[in-house]
Amino acid sequence: MRGFRGFRRRKDERKTPVIPSTREDLKVSIYRDLEKNHRVMKDLFERCYDVNFRIFRIGKEIEAEIIYVDNMAHIDEINTHILTPLMRKSCSRPEEVEEFLREELPAVYVKPVETFDECARLVSSGEPVLFIDGWRRALNLGLRQLEKRAVSDPEGEPVIRGPKEGFIESAQTNTALLRRRIQSPQLKLEEMRLGRYTQTRVIIAYMEGIVNESVLDEVKRRLERIDVDAVLESGVIEELIEDNPYSPFPQIHFTERVDAVCADLLSGRVAIITDGTPDVLVAPVSFPAFLQATEDYYLRSIYATAVRWLRYLLFFFSLVAPSFYVATISFHPEAVPTEQLFTFASSRERIPLPTIVETVLMELAFEAVREAGLRLPKLVGSAVTIVGALIIGEAAVTAGIVSAPVVIVVALTGIASFTIPRYSLGFAMRVLRFPLLLISGAFGMVGFSLSLIALVIHLASLRSFGMPYLSPIAPFRPKQMKDVFWRTFWWKMGTRPIQSTNIHRQAPDQKPGPERGGEH
Amino acid sequence: MGAGPIKGGGKRALGLLLIASLLILPGCWDRKELNEIALIRAIGIDRAEDGQIEVSLLQAIPQRAEDAGGGEKTGGTQRVLTARSINIPEAKEKLQQMLGREIFTGHQEVVVFGERFARAGIGEALDYMARQPQVRLDAVVFVCDGSPKEIFTTIPLAEITASESLYKLARVEGYTEISVMRVLREVTGDGKSTVIPVVKKTGQKTLSLDGLALFRGERMVDHLDRKSKEALMWIRNEYTTGTVNARIRGEKGYVAMKVNRTKTELIPKLKGKKPRMIIRMTSENVLSYNGTGMNLYYPSNMDRIARAMESELQKRLRNTVEKVRRDRADAFGFAELFHREYPEKWARMKKDWNERLFPQMDVDIEVRVKLRWPGMTDK
């Protein structure tokens, strides 16, 4: 048996490096002797100044030890509800202690622990562990208290209308926020731990009976595959589970809006909550969903549709405007209306740089200003923006380095790119703009259109957890177009966008009107 | 990698390198920067006294506002270059030698033929333009009284270039339809005739339109005045306005009517070998002047005016038809109608169409006038 085990371990070692927290030699049961236990634990948490070992006597008789981490355990609770009663209690036999603990200890969550690796994990996660001399078990006291900020406005995705409450870094708080909105036992929250060292708590949230089971299984499978040192943010998970890692397009949403995640869950999507970050992942998603803002669903349908169209237009604009300008101006000037070309030509006079260089320079300058404004403290940030705008907008034109139309095109492109509701898609556009620009500058309209065709082919071939990225446009599903080109009235939103067995989301015939339960 | 075959990542890197070099190596072969091309907005072709071809180019010179100087808010200016040679390409070569920038005809929106050139035949110019892919075939065409050079150097107030003013004149009159393309099509089509508007310089800073030049084949044969021009365009069912004056029997003074909307039906008939054309024009008009003192409150008076207008219009159409027939140039497009209606008989008709059939055929003209808007007064 021993030999066989050893063999297996070697094989495992070859495959994956040893993971300290699940070391085989720690999968040892706790000893009866407190002294021994103390030595093992002390050894494990050697040179960890923050881990406290408090040895005391229960009723001045039995030795016990509580191990906890500063600032992660609830010290007050430990003092008043664990240490004080235990020390005052007079009992000489371990059984009495157990009875006392079970029946009189005012802690919600007391769980026996059998092995050292479990103990180590619990202590690391901030939960105090109690060892009692003569016991082959330790007790996990659920008295964890972590520092966390208050639930606040999701700064990345503000809305005018709608809840102003966003996720925070604590997964527990986040699941509570979800549970508060979906008060149904069908909201399932499955926990798993990822990251060899970080042991990050990851929670898979979905609505049982609504979620597409095969997608759920796929999400779970992909998450289980993850075997990395650290999962510090949901971005790590996103990159490890997406379908096409080389694509510039995001295939998984992230959001810090509670209401958005709830809506996604109720549509049959799966959410992945990662402890330590307010950004929750949502999958599967399709391309049109990246242009749907949360607020669309709270505004009246007609406004939402109008705004959505504006967004589609500007989205396209943000990708192609500079390239289109360069391709037409420097390759096909005959295609520009005469008077217009004349104006362009006037501003192009005395500009030493070719249009393509001019445009790339301005785009780079714009990206620089944007990046600088983003990274700098708010006070300095606005100064940078002002200087940047002045230099780019005014001085460069007056000095005859770039022409005015280029400034306009770049500025419009920049503004257009800010209208994309999802940050990750906006990034894809920013990244794709440059190759498209260079190709247009080298091959004119031919290069431009071929690039766009290539882009569409790529989009059509992408998938997000098995769902075609362009759905419901391609493959065309007319029934689901209700949320693509227009945001249908809520009373018409009969079906869910994700294929599932439970497709109907509301009773039919919800259309309001005076005859519908008005006065009488 | 050494001498061995390239594998995996190396292959990918090489591929990327090749694609990257593709971006740089072919160069921007078709690229034309706006400040490296000479924007030609109009071309004038004329025949000089010595028989040589004289080509004038109107180059638009864009200027940055701050360079323009003088506080003027012009976006640019123009210049006219002229060269003579035995043919158009040669002349253009010469013109290119005068320019530091490549001649760019993608925005050549106006073509002006000198009258002398037009009378001698515009075939050479049409041939040249039809062969140049860079030349716009939707450029509007004019024939000018005098030399195109003079037209180009006349810049009406409120315009920056002469070509702009010519284009706007054409737009007002509905002449934008008369493009190089159409002239080409009509000259080589069934009727082998076309019309081109005539422009002339009437003042220091004034260009004005002066009827139509009638072409038989590639040669200008006649000059139609404004009245004939209106009638011709009405028959062709092309939009044009016009004013008709008429006297009413038994009344003093004139009434005037603005022809607003016309619709003409052309019905070709063939009886044996004898072609006949029925022109049926209906027109809806505005009464614009009543100098007779008739009370227009009475519908009967309106009717009298309408009848008078009908006969006036009919007379005008008749005159034009006869004038054009005398020139043996079927600019109405009758030939094409016969071709369409009687395709199998057209083959026999076509060879003596312009010489015999068109001048001799019967043409019936029916005019129906509807008068609208007698105005706010009953006088």
Side-chain angles (χ1 to χ4, degrees):
Chain A
M1 189 65 200
R2 237 200 131 99
F4 179 68
R5 228 167 149 190
F7 172 68
R8 258 193 42 192
R9 248 178 69 194
R10 261 206 311 282
K11 199 180 160 195
D12 283 347
E13 266 170 18
R14 228 181 302 141
K15 216 168 77 186
T16 54
V18 177
I19 305 159
S21 58
T22 56
R23 259 159 56 181
E24 291 275 326
D25 56 348
L26 275 176
K27 289 207 170 143
V28 185
S29 305
I30 291 165
Y31 306 112
R32 197 178 282 278
D33 188 6
L34 182 68
E35 189 63 34
K36 260 176 154 178
N37 289 340
H38 175 71
R39 247 183 286 127
V40 173
M41 290 304 283
K42 195 83 190 172
D43 200 34
L44 263 175
F45 286 104
E46 202 188 352
R47 279 166 292 161
C48 299
Y49 93 93
D50 57 334
V51 180
N52 290 319
F53 299 81
R54 171 74 163 90
I55 299 174
F56 61 99
R57 277 171 194 279
I58 300 173
K60 295 173 188 149
E61 293 277 335
I62 307 161
E63 285 230 329
E65 180 176 29
I66 186 161
I67 307 175
Y68 64 93
V69 179
D70 277 345
N71 265 321
M72 283 175 91
H74 209 306
I75 306 279
D76 283 350
E77 295 274 321
I78 292 173
N79 273 338
T80 53
H81 300 307
I82 312 286
L83 285 183
T84 316
L86 278 178
M87 283 159 110
R88 289 211 181 123
K89 179 82 189 159
S90 57
C91 43
S92 45
R93 286 179 299 118
E95 294 78 41
E96 279 179 67
V97 179
E98 191 176 358
E99 197 183 304
F100 167 75
L101 285 173
R102 200 180 326 115
E103 283 163 19
E104 286 176 55
L105 193 67
V108 179
Y109 184 71
V110 178
K111 211 175 85 181
V113 185
E114 308 275 342
T115 58
F116 279 111
D117 72 321
E118 184 79 5
C119 284
R121 198 182 63 70
L122 285 168
V123 171
S124 300
S125 77
E127 304 209 351
V129 172
L130 179 67
F131 287 91
I132 297 166
D133 192 28
W135 275 34
R136 290 193 66 98
R137 278 176 298 172
L139 280 178
N140 166 22
L141 309 166
L143 291 173
R144 188 162 66 150
Q145 189 192 38
L146 294 174
E147 293 289 330
K148 62 185 180 193
R149 67 181 167 104
V151 173
S152 67
D153 204 1
E155 271 177 38
E157 301 157 77
V159 289
I160 304 283
R161 175 161 189 184
K164 317 260 179 313
E165 155 179 278
F167 286 120
I168 60 164
E169 283 76 6
S170 154
Q172 272 158 315
T173 312
N174 292 350
T175 51
L177 287 170
L178 283 183
R179 184 70 79 186
R180 205 178 73 195
R181 270 158 204 280
I182 306 177
Q183 298 177 358
S184 155
Q186 271 166 291
L187 170 63
K188 301 296 177 196
L189 298 160
E190 287 185 32
E191 188 197 24
M192 64 195 292
R193 301 246 171 204
L194 293 178
R196 289 171 192 164
Y197 292 98
T198 58
Q199 286 294 310
T200 311
R201 185 196 296 250
V202 171
I203 290 145
I204 307 169
Y206 58 92
M207 293 299 294
E208 194 181 37
I210 294 177
V211 74
N212 184 331
E213 294 291 338
S214 62
V215 169
L216 177 64
D217 289 345
E218 184 65 29
V219 170
K220 281 185 188 165
R221 261 201 304 279
R222 288 189 194 182
L223 282 174
E224 275 157 12
R225 254 196 70 242
I226 295 179
D227 183 13
V228 293
D229 269 1
V231 173
L232 294 174
E233 213 276 335
S234 53
V236 178
I237 299 180
E238 183 181 344
E239 276 202 16
L240 285 166
I241 62 173
E242 63 191 351
D243 292 60
N244 185 345
Y246 293 111
S247 172
F249 290 96
Q251 297 140 54
I252 298 170
H253 263 176
F254 70 84
T255 178
E256 47 179 316
R257 293 199 62 84
V258 185
D259 50 336
V261 171
C262 287
D264 284 327
L265 290 178
L266 289 165
S267 305
R269 294 193 175 93
V270 180
I272 301 164
I273 301 163
T274 313
D275 196 25
T277 176
D279 292 319
V280 172
L281 301 178
V282 174
V285 283
S286 63
F287 184 71
F290 283 93
L291 292 165
Q292 298 162 350
T294 320
E295 212 171 359
D296 285 1
Y297 300 96
Y298 307 143
L299 288 175
R300 300 193 58 212
S301 165
I302 295 164
Y303 313 155
T305 305
V307 174
R308 191 171 281 183
W309 270 99
L310 179 74
R311 226 180 276 136
Y312 284 148
L313 188 79
L314 290 173
F315 160 74
F316 192 66
F317 201 88
S318 76
L319 176 65
V320 304
S323 320
F324 187 78
Y325 175 77
V326 167
T328 42
I329 285 296
S330 53
F331 285 86
H332 315 279
E334 65 275 3
V336 185
T338 307
E339 300 299 320
Q340 195 56 55
L341 186 82
F342 204 55
T343 328
F344 284 149
S346 304
S347 49
R348 277 284 307 151
E349 285 300 310
R350 312 259 173 285
I351 305 288
L353 303 168
T355 314
I356 171 71
V357 177
E358 219 189 327
T359 316
V360 168
L361 269 182
M362 286 309 285
E363 280 289 346
L364 282 177
F366 176 77
E367 291 296 334
V369 170
R370 179 182 187 159
E371 191 65 17
L374 203 65
R375 299 281 161 253
L376 283 171
K378 268 180 190 155
L379 286 172
V380 194
S382 61
V384 165
T385 322
I386 292 166
V387 170
L390 268 179
I391 289 174
I392 291 169
E394 270 306 308
V397 176
T398 325
I401 293 168
V402 292
S403 59
V406 168
V407 175
I408 296 168
V409 166
V410 169
L412 279 179
T413 309
I415 289 178
S417 72
F418 289 130
T419 61
I420 301 173
R422 306 287 181 170
Y423 185 64
S424 44
L425 185 67
F427 235 111
M429 291 301 105
R430 281 168 75 183
V431 167
L432 286 172
R433 196 146 68 218
F434 285 92
L436 191 62
L437 193 52
L438 291 177
I439 292 171
S440 303
F443 301 104
M445 206 44 97
V446 179
F448 174 77
S449 12
L450 284 181
S451 309
L452 282 192
I453 291 170
L455 213 57
V456 171
I457 291 174
H458 171 67
L459 279 173
S461 69
L462 269 184
R463 270 159 193 280
S464 169
F465 289 87
M467 187 166 103
Y469 200 50
L470 281 184
S471 66
I473 301 166
F476 185 65
R477 297 201 192 103
K479 273 208 164 164
Q480 289 169 23
M481 297 299 271
K482 63 186 184 309
D483 200 16
V484 176
F485 290 119
W486 59 94
R487 205 279 280 159
T488 307
F489 300 100
W490 270 113
W491 44 267
K492 269 189 174 175
M493 288 250 191
T495 52
R496 292 179 216 285
I498 306 288
Q499 302 277 307
S500 78
T501 43
N502 180 1
I503 197 79
H504 295 289
R505 90 163 108 198
Q506 59 198 15
D509 205 18
Q510 299 274 308
K511 187 181 175 183
E515 72 278 13
R516 294 297 176 88
E519 329 254 294
H520 309 290
Chain B
M1 275 162 250
I6 304 160
K7 275 180 197 161
K11 211 171 198 170
R12 180 168 288 163
L14 190 72
L16 279 176
L17 198 73
L18 282 175
I19 292 172
S21 57
L22 198 64
L23 278 178
I24 310 159
L25 293 179
C28 308
W29 82 99
D30 244 356
R31 207 190 65 193
K32 349 177 158 63
E33 288 301 333
L34 286 180
N35 39 4
E36 289 161 10
I37 54 178
L39 285 165
I40 303 301
R41 295 196 61 176
I43 185 169
I45 301 169
D46 199 7
R47 199 166 279 279
E49 295 84 2
D50 55 0
Q52 278 193 314
I53 298 276
E54 185 180 88
V55 175
S56 310
L57 291 182
L58 191 153
Q59 183 197 0
I61 299 172
Q63 269 176 331
R64 297 182 62 193
E66 55 266 37
D67 297 347
E72 260 182 291
K73 267 175 74 185
T74 54
T77 178
Q78 67 160 43
R79 73 164 160 177
V80 180
L81 298 161
T82 308
R84 286 183 186 182
S85 188
I86 49 160
N87 57 26
I88 299 172
E90 284 275 341
K92 229 165 166 198
E93 265 319 288
K94 278 190 183 169
L95 287 166
Q96 180 66 78
Q97 307 299 311
M98 303 177 196
L99 285 159
R101 300 174 175 205
E102 194 194 330
I103 289 180
F104 178 76
T105 51
H107 281 280
Q108 183 180 291
E109 56 185 1
V110 173
V111 175
V112 179
F113 298 125
E115 190 172 338
R116 207 200 314 258
F117 179 76
R119 291 212 181 258
I122 56 171
E124 183 184 347
L126 292 179
D127 179 87
Y128 173 75
M129 284 189 269
R131 276 173 220 292
Q132 298 282 313
Q134 298 92 339
V135 170
R136 279 198 166 189
L137 290 180
D138 66 343
V140 294
V141 191
F142 289 97
V143 167
C144 73
D145 198 13
S147 141
K149 207 165 31 176
E150 275 171 46
I151 300 289
F152 289 169
T153 45
T154 310
I155 309 172
L157 289 171
E159 308 294 350
I160 294 167
T161 61
S163 79
E164 243 176 87
S165 122
L166 285 170
Y167 196 83
K168 284 177 181 169
L169 280 175
R171 201 161 54 191
V172 168
E173 281 295 304
Y175 286 158
T176 42
E177 288 289 308
I178 303 181
S179 60
V180 175
M181 190 71 212
R182 184 171 116 165
V183 169
L184 253 172
R185 209 171 43 221
E186 293 195 345
V187 163
T188 56
D190 290 330
K192 296 207 168 23
S193 305
T194 192
V195 283
I196 296 179
V198 175
V199 66
K200 67 177 179 188
K201 185 176 177 178
T202 50
Q204 201 59 37
K205 288 195 170 215
T206 316
L207 293 174
S208 44
L209 293 170
D210 180 27
L212 292 171
L214 182 65
F215 279 71
R216 181 171 71 230
E218 51 165 42
R219 287 195 175 76
M220 175 176 166
V221 289
D222 203 353
H223 184 183
L224 307 179
D225 61 3
R226 189 180 57 80
K227 287 190 170 177
S228 307
K229 167 230 139 186
E230 281 167 11
L232 183 124
M233 298 222 7
W234 287 329
I235 294 174
R236 292 189 58 130
N237 231 340
E238 273 159 9
Y239 170 79
T240 192
T241 56
T243 301
V244 180
N245 302 315
R247 270 181 189 285
I248 313 289
R249 195 174 305 184
E251 304 281 343
K252 278 180 203 155
Y254 282 95
V255 281
M257 164 181 92
K258 188 162 183 277
V259 178
N260 245 11
R261 221 190 291 168
T262 63
K263 190 170 163 18
T264 313
E265 254 184 297
L266 297 174
I267 306 157
K269 296 265 189 215
L270 203 56
K271 213 173 212 172
K273 284 186 174 177
K274 220 173 146 47
R276 192 163 72 98
M277 180 59 84
I278 301 165
I279 300 172
R280 194 171 285 157
M281 172 169 147
T282 49
S283 124
E284 206 166 291
N285 307 313
V286 179
L287 191 71
S288 53
Y289 170 69
N290 176 16
T292 59
M294 284 161 74
N295 190 339
L296 302 180
Y297 184 77
Y298 300 109
S300 59
N301 280 347
M302 287 293 275
D303 278 351
R304 281 172 72 197
I305 297 175
R307 297 296 88 77
M309 288 297 174
E310 277 170 7
S311 63
E312 187 62 34
L313 269 175
Q314 192 160 19
K315 211 188 300 170
R316 202 191 272 194
L317 293 189
R318 173 64 65 192
N319 284 343
T320 306
V321 168
E322 294 312 326
K323 185 175 168 63
V324 171
R325 264 143 54 106
R326 271 198 299 282
D327 291 324
R328 305 195 307 282
D330 177 12
F332 301 118
F334 289 171
E336 206 184 320
L337 292 171
F338 276 100
H339 188 173
R340 271 190 213 160
E341 195 69 29
Y342 306 101
E344 66 285 350
K345 290 184 182 155
W346 174 250
R348 265 185 290 117
M349 291 164 72
K350 92 176 160 192
K351 59 178 180 295
D352 47 358
W353 175 257
N354 267 335
E355 291 308 312
R356 198 174 58 81
L357 292 175
F358 175 65
Q360 289 170 13
M361 70 197 277
D362 290 333
V363 177
D364 300 344
I365 299 171
E366 296 162 21
V367 181
R368 177 110 189 92
V369 168
K370 280 181 202 158
L371 269 184
R372 302 263 186 248
W373 300 103
M376 305 281 277
T377 166
D378 57 359
K379 289 288 172 221

